Amino acid sequence: LVKVPKITMSEVQDALVQKFACSTQEAYDAAALADGNWLLAQHFVKDKEDEKLYANVFQKWMRYCFKGAVPELIDLVANDIKPLGREKQKEFLEYGLNIFHNSLLFNNNMHDDVLLPTDEKNFTKNFAPFINIRNVEQICSLFEESINQIERNGNASIIFADNSFKITKLLRVK
């Protein structure tokens, strides 16, 4: 039996800076997200633009849902989410599921277990009070159902608009 220790975060960070010539902050964020998984860390560095897009759009989406801003929601769905294409829409919804998971970690004082880049971590920390045990199951089911509908060629505009209205109600559940 040979035990191979997990790669440390600093080793992953140094290797990412060396191999991909990314900034130290980008390498730190990717290493933190990967939690010792070199392949996953490479994925985060290569696809950082998609992740930033998902983060920005998701944050806008949740803010509009919280405000109940219907015109802005419809505009966001039509201009930012629908053009992504099926695969990226599914990734976007999976990103959302990850944010909800991390929100629950914040709510249960497990801050050290939240593996997100710094700016996303700050958003999630502020968003966490609106995700609770009474609404998280319904929201996650909604996202999982949406992933299935998109896989079956459902109309993204209708799916995301419907989700927006349902999330608007669910965020108010205390």
Side-chain angles (χ1 to χ4, degrees):
L1 179 66
V2 177
K3 291 187 178 186
V4 179
K6 183 168 75 170
I7 304 170
T8 66
M9 195 165 109
S10 62
E11 291 171 335
V12 172
Q13 182 180 0
D14 293 341
L16 289 172
V17 169
Q18 187 176 30
K19 183 171 181 174
F20 295 102
C22 59
S23 72
T24 316
Q25 183 63 41
E26 290 171 342
Y28 174 81
D29 288 343
L33 286 170
D35 193 31
N37 184 330
W38 172 244
L39 296 175
L40 194 55
Q42 290 180 73
H43 167 74
F44 287 130
V45 169
K46 290 177 188 173
D47 296 333
K48 67 182 175 216
E49 294 307 315
D50 285 344
E51 291 293 321
K52 287 181 182 178
L53 173 70
Y54 298 156
N56 291 334
V57 173
F58 185 80
Q59 289 174 19
K60 279 199 308 191
W61 188 29
M62 290 301 112
R63 285 183 178 120
Y64 291 154
C65 285
F66 181 75
K67 291 178 186 175
V70 175
E72 289 86 353
L73 282 169
I74 292 171
D75 186 54
L76 181 81
V77 168
N79 296 325
D80 293 347
I81 298 175
K82 186 180 180 204
L84 290 176
R86 281 183 3 171
E87 290 306 314
K88 292 197 186 258
Q89 289 167 353
K90 290 190 307 187
E91 288 176 13
F92 176 71
L93 289 166
E94 289 169 0
Y95 172 84
L97 288 170
N98 187 41
I99 293 296
F100 298 133
H101 168 78
N102 285 305
S103 294
L104 288 178
L105 292 175
F106 270 117
N107 289 340
N108 291 298
N109 295 320
M110 299 172 72
H111 306 279
D112 295 337
D113 294 334
V114 176
L115 300 175
L116 290 172
T118 310
D119 54 338
E120 293 174 45
K121 197 174 208 178
N122 292 334
F123 167 79
T124 306
K125 184 177 182 179
N126 294 329
F127 181 63
F130 302 102
I131 302 301
N132 55 57
I133 200 70
R134 288 171 288 296
N135 66 6
V136 73
E137 185 178 348
Q138 293 170 304
I139 292 173
C140 289
S141 294
L142 183 66
F143 273 52
E144 290 167 356
E145 180 184 339
S146 298
I147 290 170
N148 289 333
Q149 290 171 342
I150 289 170
E151 283 177 349
R152 293 187 310 260
N153 291 328
N155 185 311
S157 296
I158 294 171
I159 293 167
F160 281 96
D162 183 53
N163 284 355
S164 299
F165 302 132
K166 288 177 181 175
I167 290 170
T168 298
K169 285 183 181 177
L170 289 170
L171 288 178
R172 287 170 173 65
V173 173
K174 299 275 181 195

